[in-house]
Amino acid sequence: MSTNRQNVSMTSIGKKGVLLVNLGTPDDPSRGAVYRYLKQFLLDPRVIDYPWLPRNLLVRGIIAPFRSGSSSKLYKMLWTEEGSPLKFYGERVRDGVQELLGEEYIVELAMRYQNPSIGHAIENLEKALVSEITVIPMFPQYASATTGSVHDAVMQELSKRQIIPDVKMVNSYYDRPSMIKIFADNARQFDLNSYDHIIFSYHGLPQRQLRKGDPTDSHCTKKEDCCMNISPVNQFCYSAQCHATTKAIVAELGLKPEQYTTAFQSRLGPEAWAQPYTIKTIEEQAEKGAKRLLVFSPAFIADCLETIIEIGTEYQEEFEEMGGEHVDLVPSLNDDPRWIQTVADLVLEQQKTSISRPAATAASES
């Protein structure tokens, strides 16, 4: 007797789902919409990691009610006919990635806070009968408050469902060569030699949260220049990854150490955050007589409130008051075709690194 087995193609039955997730934006620039956004955002225990009661008292009683008015005015300055830049750039990237990946994939865009929600996007993928989902947070550097929160929310949504497909989650891509080249090329639109100093400004995090990410409790903020190089201890450290992004862009542009500073913006509250602070760096440059500053924001893949308004408007005004003249902002990745290709490549790489499983088996014996 002889046995013959028929080989079956190891492919998935359904289409592959892709979930692109950015932080979020209010549904509109009204105070009510901004209040809802701030409340959902700041009540996330990964964002303000206080115990439930003080976190709720702080957010519901102080921050959201008082900041919603001023933030609404800023969002009205940011808003365009197409809406929030964070959202419409996200939609363009989603559509571009869908076109590149083709009919084998279903690409959805979601926001961690507000709309389109992660739950709604997963429901769409579920209805499309996808066999797996690749989750790509739109944050180059990992932080618990961003990427970690996205992963957490996706798992919570999937836990409500009877069927959970294969899930692949991208952690970070802080030194991705194609992404670095776009940032560098965007900077080349400016005459780099005409600036007195270049600042790489990343969104800040409390030092307390950075220390919590140190699994050894011996490295973060306890060693000199602990963020200057990536190691097994700090491989998931937000600050270390930010510095690595700066290094990669600096190497691409051929900048000298004295030409630039890595700093952190958007500090909230009295406790110590990742340093140096961007505004302090601007003050120091003004004291040295600097007149022209160029600022990168490589933590943001799309221009938004923190780039267009905080840097482009608020820091410009403050720098002028200090005696400076120009604060120019290097555009983010936005809907650059090369960025869309980079996102598509991230998806495809997840397919290559995963272990294929047979969708079905068939055998014949004789």
Side-chain angles (χ1 to χ4, degrees):
M1 186 190 330
S2 63
T3 301
N4 296 316
R5 296 189 180 276
Q6 179 181 354
N7 292 327
V8 179
S9 175
M10 299 176 70
T11 58
S12 59
I13 295 176
K15 294 185 177 184
K16 298 178 176 66
V18 178
L19 182 57
L20 310 179
V21 188
N22 212 326
L23 188 72
T25 183
D27 292 330
D28 60 67
S30 68
R31 181 168 185 168
V34 173
Y35 173 82
R36 291 191 296 273
Y37 167 71
L38 288 176
K39 186 172 68 171
Q40 185 185 13
F41 170 40
L42 297 174
L43 283 176
D44 185 341
R46 284 183 178 266
V47 175
I48 296 183
D49 53 345
Y50 294 168
W52 183 88
L53 182 58
R55 183 174 70 251
N56 272 265
L57 290 174
L58 179 64
V59 174
R60 296 177 186 273
I62 300 175
I63 300 179
F66 286 94
R67 289 196 65 181
S68 56
S70 57
S71 294
S72 174
K73 294 177 182 177
L74 298 178
Y75 274 108
K76 287 175 182 176
M77 295 170 57
L78 175 74
W79 227 254
T80 72
E81 292 182 357
E82 296 180 84
S84 166
L86 196 71
K87 187 175 180 181
F88 68 69
Y89 280 130
E91 291 169 342
R92 293 175 191 176
V93 171
R94 174 202 62 196
D95 295 345
V97 172
Q98 179 69 73
E99 183 176 357
L100 288 174
L101 293 179
E103 295 182 356
E104 185 182 351
Y105 291 82
I106 302 293
V107 184
E108 288 284 336
L109 171 70
M111 298 293 171
R112 175 61 184 91
Y113 312 106
Q114 296 301 283
N115 300 299
S117 69
I118 291 176
H120 179 71
I122 289 178
E123 183 179 350
N124 287 343
L125 293 175
E126 188 177 48
K127 289 179 179 177
L129 305 178
V130 299
S131 60
E132 61 183 59
I133 300 175
T134 298
V135 182
I136 302 186
M138 297 283 95
F139 317 109
Q141 302 84 16
Y142 176 87
S144 174
T146 53
T147 303
S149 181
V150 167
H151 289 175
D152 197 359
V154 168
M155 290 186 287
Q156 287 184 31
E157 284 294 335
L158 289 173
S159 71
K160 302 173 185 177
R161 289 163 166 77
Q162 186 67 27
I163 297 174
I164 300 177
D166 284 345
V167 180
K168 303 176 180 69
M169 293 186 175
V170 173
N171 178 277
S172 62
Y173 39 91
Y174 57 88
D175 59 353
R176 182 86 180 186
S178 56
M179 181 190 74
I180 296 301
K181 191 172 189 310
I182 301 170
F183 276 120
D185 285 347
N186 287 349
R188 292 187 179 104
Q189 300 173 22
F190 303 85
D191 179 5
L192 300 182
N193 292 324
S194 70
Y195 292 92
D196 298 297
H197 202 67
I198 297 173
I199 301 174
F200 292 84
S201 182
Y202 298 82
H203 198 289
L205 276 183
Q207 288 186 10
R208 171 176 45 80
Q209 291 191 13
L210 295 175
R211 289 193 295 270
K212 286 173 66 175
D214 178 0
T216 66
D217 193 31
S218 63
H219 190 81
C220 182
T221 70
K222 297 179 181 179
K223 292 189 176 182
E224 186 177 356
D225 296 334
C226 63
C227 296
M228 294 302 106
N229 296 290
I230 299 289
S231 69
V233 175
N234 70 355
Q235 60 182 312
F236 298 116
C237 171
Y238 173 73
S239 177
Q241 291 190 2
C242 290
H243 282 278
T245 301
T246 296
K247 280 186 177 181
I249 298 174
V250 162
E252 180 71 23
L253 291 173
L255 299 178
K256 299 175 182 178
E258 64 271 15
Q259 288 182 275
Y260 68 91
T261 299
T262 296
F264 299 87
Q265 65 185 83
S266 306
R267 178 186 177 192
L268 176 66
E271 64 181 310
W273 282 44
Q275 296 181 30
Y277 302 133
T278 300
I279 189 59
K280 293 293 185 182
T281 302
I282 291 175
E283 290 175 1
E284 290 171 0
Q285 290 300 316
E287 290 173 359
K288 294 178 181 179
K291 298 298 182 183
R292 293 171 56 83
L293 301 177
L294 183 66
V295 183
F296 286 83
S297 291
F300 302 98
I301 55 89
D303 284 315
C304 54
L305 192 72
E306 286 81 0
T307 63
I308 297 173
I309 304 300
E310 185 172 2
I311 293 174
T313 299
E314 294 180 348
Y315 286 172
Q316 170 68 39
E317 293 174 353
E318 294 184 49
F319 188 49
E320 287 178 358
E321 292 175 1
M322 300 171 193
E325 295 176 359
H326 294 289
V327 174
D328 288 326
L329 174 67
V330 176
S332 194
L333 308 173
N334 295 325
D335 57 351
D336 190 304
R338 295 171 297 171
W339 167 235
I340 294 173
Q341 182 65 62
T342 297
V343 176
D345 290 343
L346 284 170
V347 174
L348 294 174
E349 287 172 12
Q350 293 303 304
Q351 310 304 316
K352 292 179 182 178
T353 56
S354 62
I355 300 175
S356 299
R357 299 187 302 173
T361 57
S364 62
E365 295 183 0
S366 62

